[in-house]
Amino acid sequence: MEGCGLRAVGSHCSLSEMDDLDLTRALDKPRLKIERKRSFDERSMSELSTGYSRHDGIHDSPRGRSVLDTPLSSARNSFEPHPMMAEAWEALRRSMVFFRGQPVGTLAAVDNTTDEVLNYDQVFVRDFVPSALAFLMNGEPDIVKHFLLKTLQLQGWEKRVDRFKLGEGVMPASFKVLHDPIRETDNIVADFGESAIGRVAPVDSGFWWIILLRAYTKSTGDLTLSETPECQKGMKLILSLCLAEGFDTFPTLLCADGCSMIDRRMGVYGYPIEIQALFFMALRSALSMLKPDGDGRECIERIVKRLHALSFHMRNYFWLDHQNLNDIYRFKTEEYSHTAVNKFNVMPDSIPEWVFDFMPLRGGYFVGNVGPAHMDFRWFALGNCVSILSSLATPDQSMAIMDLLEHRWEELVGEMPLKICYPCLEGHEWRIVTGCDPKNTRWSYHNGGSWPVLLWQLTAACIKTGRPQIARRAVDLIESRLHRDCWPEYYDGKLGRYVGKQARKYQTWSIAGYLVAKMLLEDPSHIGMISLEEDKLMKPVIKRSASWPQL
């Protein structure tokens, strides 16, 4: 494989002998001086009535490192930061990982209360995203650039799990830096799924990488990274895995259980909302960064076509509100031909009883999954928040999701933001769907557990929809407990009242999620890094009610 620039590495790969200078040299060009705007990324974002003052320009973020107890984001504001902020920054910096003297990521957790490390001593792609956003918002982009480069180098290696070769564009789930104090060398070992729970390769890692590349570009105004041939190729390789034409008649992505944040068997196989929303956001992010030259033009054309089909499919078939639920309740089955209303042959008797009481008259959400004779009515936090941030949800649908959160605050938020999904699986259903998973018991971990990291996505969605008061209420709950409980990974119980039975303390993304939420509320212009405004050309005609009838 020498002619292809690949190297066989088995199920893991090492960067001990890799030449790190190739990409670095490409980035040594002078940075472009680009005027940054304080708008929320697109024109209409600045017109939202969020209660924040509008600005015509924006200052460039300072590039110096902040003192631990005085983050740059807080120093720029007139009000006193919460004492938890300094503690959070100190804990976040303790988790930083260095490779040959350069920061390349943050550990999943630095929990000194247990000797059982497992894989929490690794840098996970999805886990690093809130850490990266915190550093970007604080004017410290170098660690993000180094992370993007290292994971891009890992993508370029041939990857084999057992005797099976993975797709060329697959990004690692995680990597670990091994320090040899005797030889004074650093090696990187990456996991592409062989060591994961259930041995599933991460579908979401590539999407998060593209989204983070755009966030870096928007934050710094530096186009030299995303425009390198290596980054352009990396994006195309990721997207080529998803844009390939095959047997599937849906524009959504067919995925296995365990391929995303819910990395265990939880009955989300098929077309999970989290993956579809991240897919949509990654497509739109790549569209803003790909250069229309060579094969880039063809990739752009494929992205545009897929976005139109995906937005129509998701907004029509995954959306659920009171009117839509009533329509499904009255569905006829065994319909044939293009005139069918019940296109997926969903049986009305399969609608769970809880959803009738859960659905308010005003509000709605994207259901967890839709496929042949299958509709998963569970509410998933990450998929719905990303749907808002990516503008997969229409403005009316975004407001309806916020309405639902307010109406069902006790069920979805309770005493610790935020339920990863609702409701939980229990009894016989839990045994069948999870395979009797002892970690995913009722109202625990991925089965209805409460995850503080989701606070940053909730806050971003609230700011984009002009509902910052919802985020402030959630932040108040976090600040009353999270530091006292030593920053746990997740909480258990119907209200999120108890620290998770197997939760790691000092979980890095719990810490970073809090910091990102606070900095977003302090300076809402940061939303431009992680938000995309609606593309008017992509708006389909939606016949069903988006929420409450407009009076």
Side-chain angles (χ1 to χ4, degrees), residues 420-486:
I420 190 171
C421 70
Y422 180 89
C424 71
L425 302 171
E426 50 189 331
H428 180 67
E429 186 181 22
W430 166 79
R431 287 190 288 272
I432 296 299
V433 173
T434 73
C436 299
D437 189 344
K439 196 168 184 178
N440 271 332
T441 53
R442 62 195 298 268
W443 305 118
S444 179
Y445 202 48
H446 298 137
N447 189 14
S450 298
W451 292 70
V453 64
L454 296 172
L455 177 69
W456 80 262
Q457 289 146 349
L458 172 64
T459 301
C462 289
I463 290 175
K464 182 174 181 181
T465 55
R467 311 277 275 274
Q469 69 279 4
I470 299 177
R472 291 195 188 100
R473 186 180 175 189
V475 168
D476 288 343
L477 290 173
I478 287 278
E479 290 180 335
S480 69
R481 297 188 54 194
L482 198 60
H483 177 261
R484 183 187 67 193
D485 294 336
C486 300

Side-chain angles (χ1 to χ4, degrees), residues 15-189:
L15 287 178
S16 59
E17 299 177 357
M18 175 172 278
D19 183 4
D20 291 321
L21 299 178
D22 293 342
L23 290 179
T24 305
R25 280 197 296 265
L27 296 173
D28 285 337
K29 299 179 294 184
R31 287 189 174 185
L32 299 179
K33 299 296 183 180
I34 298 178
E35 182 182 356
R36 297 173 62 205
K37 298 181 179 180
R38 195 178 177 89
S39 67
F40 283 62
D41 187 37
E42 319 287 346
R43 285 196 303 269
S44 58
M45 285 297 293
S46 63
E47 298 169 2
L48 291 173
S49 56
T50 60
Y52 299 109
S53 59
R54 295 179 58 186
H55 302 263
D56 295 325
I58 186 170
H59 51 264
D60 285 325
S61 299
R63 289 287 177 260
R65 174 166 292 187
S66 65
V67 181
L68 290 182
D69 56 352
T70 55
L72 294 176
S73 62
S74 297
R76 289 195 296 264
N77 291 278
S78 59
F79 53 85
E80 287 294 324
H82 194 280
M84 270 179 58
M85 290 283 285
E87 296 289 340
W89 274 111
E90 185 176 358
L92 181 61
R93 297 199 191 283
R94 283 199 303 268
S95 72
M96 291 173 66
V97 175
F98 292 82
F99 178 76
R100 299 178 183 175
Q102 292 181 329
V104 293
T106 52
L107 298 177
V110 186
D111 187 356
N112 296 322
T113 65
T114 178
D115 295 329
E116 192 179 23
V117 177
L118 297 178
N119 57 356
Y120 287 85
D121 63 344
Q122 299 183 26
V123 179
F124 281 82
V125 172
R126 76 174 67 94
D127 291 40
F128 180 66
V129 171
S131 297
L133 294 176
F135 285 120
L136 288 174
M137 292 178 185
N138 203 45
E140 303 177 54
D142 287 347
I143 185 174
V144 182
K145 180 172 74 173
H146 296 150
F147 169 85
L148 290 167
L149 291 174
K150 283 292 171 285
T151 46
L152 183 62
Q153 289 170 338
L154 290 170
Q155 182 205 40
W157 285 38
E158 184 179 85
K159 301 166 281 286
R160 290 185 182 272
V161 176
D162 292 333
R163 298 185 179 184
F164 187 73
K165 181 181 176 181
L166 275 69
E168 190 179 0
V170 173
M171 281 287 184
S174 63
F175 65 85
K176 183 175 181 177
V177 176
L178 301 176
H179 300 280
D180 187 334
I182 298 177
R183 297 182 179 180
E184 297 184 347
T185 59
D186 288 345
N187 299 330
I188 286 185
V189 177

Side-chain angles (χ1 to χ4, degrees), residues 310-326:
L310 184 60
S311 63
F312 179 86
H313 184 93
M314 297 297 297
R315 292 170 177 179
N316 281 276
Y317 304 129
F318 273 67
W319 181 252
L320 189 71
D321 58 19
H322 182 268
Q323 180 60 53
N324 198 0
L325 178 60
N326 204 160

